């Protein structure tokens, strides 16, 4: 039933998808270019017979880049295509891999878009990051003769229940998968409960733990951040924030500055197209606010309006509040500040990174905050209690170090899949 319903809806939704892109492009200019790619019209320079990796946004794109870097020496004749669905993900691929891979946006999961994409690219293998299971993409890619695998896969209890309710649609996708490499045993168990063969499932851990620092900030920006860090007692960052969380961060910053008068908040919204409206919000709240490039030692709130630099900015912070955790989004990646020894604060909603967050919780190095008062008191406490700051800084680093090692396991796993694939035996 659900499989037939999905097929009907995928045809009916095409005009609405097009309208969505037009409307989204009005508010976010990064969605205006390359619209045709989302309907399967691939750029002419994309090579065929590739290994196709599909990632969604920035976090998955960073992980995908690490996979390609690990495997690029396998066979110089193998071409790589990485697709993303968001401009932030696209920017990460372009920044990290440049001309070493082909890149475009993934097609929307409609029959025509996927068919056009496959006719043009003719992939030999598809590696789906995490749980990007799209019915048409999975089934049609497998029908084209390419092997399809799920890597760095995670499946929450909530998502598992959702897939179980759509059994016929779920089975039609899982039957097309030649193998799954899971982040953890819980995810492997849930895939097994959905009917997927446990023998074709391997647990590698999460390659997000194996992340490395991205390229350094541009020299001028690096010097600016070093200057600001030297002139202020406390720089703290609210990263990847969503609507509603900026107001909480600003309210917290008011309280922080009552205790630490020259404290500076670095506000980095998840979607940088919101930076103009947030600049006004900050100024209306009474803060001397400037965009990052114009910040000086009188700035009280720095508004980040650039993509691809948040990871490095975390390193200048006394504390990093991870957005998406106070309003239902599920939180974003806490590993990026942790790898730099920056203590973490998050709201209670962390289901996107539940397993990762639990490891920080077990070592008592993530502070849970529920409102502006909690957030402010956490910043103030970590600033004034250097022993606590040192402890949490050391603990978050150790958690990252203890959980590294998934990438070599996944490397070996993918090599085996390539060897087993008849598509490469030519």
């Amino acid at each position: 039933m659900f499989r037939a319903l999905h097929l009907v809806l995928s045809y009916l939704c095409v005009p609405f998808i097009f309208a969505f892109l037009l409307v989204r492009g009005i508010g976010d200019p990064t969605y205006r270019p390359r619209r045709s790619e989302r309907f399967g019209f691939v750029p002419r320079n994309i090579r065929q017979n590739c290994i196709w990796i599909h990632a969604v946004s920035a976090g998955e794109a960073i992980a995908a880049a690490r996979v390609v870097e690990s495997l690029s020496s396998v066979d110089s004749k193998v071409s790589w295509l990485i697709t993303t669905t968001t401009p932030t993900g696209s920017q990460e691929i372009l920044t990290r891999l440049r001309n070493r891979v082909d890149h475009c946006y993934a097609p929307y999961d409609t029959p025509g878009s996927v068919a056009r994409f496959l006719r043009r690219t003719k992939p030999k293998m598809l590696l789906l990051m995490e749980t990007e299971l799209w019915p048409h993409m999975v089934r049609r890619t497998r029908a084209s003769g390419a092997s399809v695998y799920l890597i760095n896969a995670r499946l929450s209890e909530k998502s598992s229940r959702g897939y179980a309710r759509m059994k016929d649609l779920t089975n039609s996708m899982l039957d097309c998968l030649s193998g799954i490499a899971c982040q953890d045993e819980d995810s492997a168990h849930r895939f097994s409960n959905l009917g997927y063969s446990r023998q074709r499932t391997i647990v590698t851990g999460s390659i997000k733990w194996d992340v490395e620092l991205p390229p350094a900030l541009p020299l001028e920006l690096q010097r600016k951040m070093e200057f600001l860090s030297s002139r202020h007692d406390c720089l703290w960052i609210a990263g990847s924030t969503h609507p509603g969380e900026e107001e909480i961060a600003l309210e917290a910053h008011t309280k922080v500055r009552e205790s630490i008068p020259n404290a500076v908040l670095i506000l980095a919204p998840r979607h940088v197209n919101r930076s103009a409206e947030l600049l006004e919000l900050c100024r209306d709240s009474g803060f001397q606010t400037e965009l990052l490039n114009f910040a000086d030692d009188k700035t009280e709130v720095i508004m980040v309006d650039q993509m691809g630099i948040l990871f490095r900015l975390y390193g200048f912070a006394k504390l990093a509040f991870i957005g998406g955790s106070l309003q239902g989004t599920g939180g974003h990646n806490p590993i990026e500040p942790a790898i730099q020894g920056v203590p973490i604060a998050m709201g209670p909603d962390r289901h996107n990174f539940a397993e990762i967050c639990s490891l920080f919780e077990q070592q008592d190095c993530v502070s849970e905050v529920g409102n502006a008062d909690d957030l402010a008191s956490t910043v103030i406490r970590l600033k004034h209690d250097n022993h606590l700051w040192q402890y949490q800084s050391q603990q978050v680093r150790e958690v990252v170090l203890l959980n590294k090692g998934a990438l070599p396991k996944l490397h070996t796993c993918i090599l085996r899949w390539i060897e087993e694939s008849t598509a490469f035996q030519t």
Side-chain angles (χ1 to χ4, degrees):
M1 178 185 74
F2 284 101
R3 184 174 175 178
L5 180 62
H6 177 268
L7 179 62
V8 172
L9 290 176
S10 64
Y11 279 108
L12 294 177
C13 72
V14 174
F16 297 98
I17 293 174
F18 189 74
F20 164 79
L21 281 175
L22 290 175
V23 173
R24 185 66 183 269
I26 295 173
D28 185 351
T30 60
Y31 275 81
R32 293 175 193 168
R34 301 162 55 193
R35 287 182 185 137
S36 61
E37 294 177 16
R38 299 176 185 271
F39 294 94
F41 294 99
V42 177
R44 294 184 180 276
N45 64 327
I46 301 292
R47 291 166 289 181
Q48 296 183 342
N49 303 313
C50 56
I51 295 180
W52 170 22
I53 303 182
H54 175 55
V56 183
S57 191
E60 295 81 13
I62 292 170
R66 295 287 289 128
V67 171
V68 170
E69 288 167 347
S70 170
L71 292 164
S72 58
S73 61
V74 172
D75 187 344
S76 59
K77 295 179 182 178
V78 172
S79 62
W80 297 87
L81 168 62
I82 302 183
T83 59
T84 63
T85 58
T86 68
T88 54
S90 177
Q91 183 62 42
E92 288 291 348
I93 296 302
L94 294 173
T95 300
R96 291 170 179 273
L97 296 174
R98 301 186 185 277
N99 60 353
R100 294 162 58 187
V101 299
D102 292 332
H103 165 65
C104 64
Y105 285 123
Y108 282 120
D109 198 51
T110 64
S113 300
V114 173
R116 275 189 293 272
F117 180 91
L118 292 173
R119 280 197 303 269
R120 177 64 185 82
T121 58
K122 293 182 170 60
K124 291 183 176 183
M125 177 181 287
L126 169 57
L127 304 174
L128 295 164
M129 295 292 298
E130 304 210 355
T131 316
E132 279 300 291
L133 290 172
W134 293 97
H136 292 304
M137 180 186 290
V138 171
R139 293 201 304 265
R140 287 176 177 252
T141 301
R142 185 69 190 93
S144 74
S147 302
V148 181
Y149 298 90
L150 202 58
I151 63 173
N152 208 44
R154 61 182 175 87
L155 187 63
S156 68
E157 186 64 38
K158 180 179 178 181
S159 295
S160 180
R161 290 195 299 268
Y163 280 119
R165 285 193 290 268
M166 303 180 292
K167 190 166 185 177
D168 63 327
L169 185 63
T170 298
N171 287 344
S172 73
M173 292 187 290
L174 293 181
D175 288 345
C176 293
L177 298 179
S178 298
I180 300 178
C182 288
Q183 293 186 18
D184 52 76
E185 289 287 352
D186 287 343
S187 292
H189 180 68
R190 288 167 189 144
F191 278 113
S192 179
N193 287 343
L194 290 174
Y196 192 76
S197 170
R198 189 63 179 84
Q199 292 181 334
R200 289 191 288 162
T201 305
I202 184 172
V203 176
T204 59
S206 173
I207 60 174
K208 289 190 173 180
W209 293 105
D210 292 277
V211 68
E212 293 183 352
L213 283 171
L217 293 172
L219 183 58
E220 186 176 344
L221 182 55
Q222 177 72 20
R223 288 174 175 168
K224 179 188 289 287
M225 292 307 302
E226 290 172 355
F227 168 75
L228 293 173
S229 182
S230 69
R231 294 297 297 268
H232 295 274
D233 291 336
C234 176
L235 270 66
W236 69 284
I237 190 165
S240 294
T241 56
H242 290 255
E245 292 179 326
E246 292 89 7
E247 288 85 351
I248 293 172
L250 291 172
E251 183 181 346
H253 194 47
T254 298
K255 300 176 186 296
V256 168
R257 286 180 60 84
E258 291 173 0
S259 176
I260 313 167
N262 71 342
V264 173
L265 167 62
I266 303 171
L267 189 57
R270 179 66 174 176
H271 301 107
V272 296
N273 63 294
R274 299 181 56 236
S275 57
E277 65 180 81
L278 292 175
L279 188 66
E280 277 193 51
L281 173 67
C282 295
R283 288 172 176 171
D284 289 345
S285 300
F287 293 108
Q288 177 68 37
T289 308
E290 299 292 344
L291 296 177
L292 182 58
N293 283 343
F294 300 99
D296 57 29
D297 60 350
K298 295 183 177 62
T299 303
E300 298 169 340
V301 176
I302 299 172
M303 178 60 56
V304 179
D305 61 339
Q306 303 171 40
M307 293 193 296
I309 62 171
L310 176 58
F311 197 153
R312 278 289 186 177
L313 289 178
Y314 276 131
F316 292 95
K318 197 74 175 175
L319 171 122
F321 166 70
I322 309 299
S325 59
L326 280 174
Q327 44 61 275
T329 299
H332 293 291
N333 189 358
I335 297 174
E336 294 181 0
I339 198 174
Q340 301 173 85
V342 178
I344 304 161
M346 296 186 74
D349 184 12
R350 312 172 192 176
H351 63 259
N352 285 342
F353 293 88
E355 294 83 4
I356 287 173
C357 289
S358 69
L359 295 172
F360 287 113
E361 290 166 9
Q362 290 168 22
Q363 298 303 316
D364 194 27
C365 55
V366 57
S367 302
E368 180 166 325
V369 298
N371 52 44
D373 287 337
D374 291 346
L375 184 53
S377 63
T378 300
V379 176
I380 293 168
R381 185 171 68 252
L382 285 168
K383 170 62 180 70
H384 291 315
D385 188 340
N386 190 58
H387 177 74
L388 176 63
W389 188 92
Q390 291 287 350
Y391 170 79
Q392 291 202 4
S393 176
Q394 180 180 349
Q395 288 299 99
V396 292
R397 286 183 190 271
E398 287 189 5
V399 171
V400 174
L401 288 173
L402 286 172
N403 287 279
K404 281 179 173 287
L407 188 60
K409 295 177 185 177
L410 186 59
H411 175 101
T412 301
C413 183
I414 295 174
L415 282 183
R416 188 179 73 249
W417 289 341
I418 291 174
E419 291 172 0
E420 294 171 351
S421 174
T422 56
F424 290 92
Q425 296 173 8
T426 57

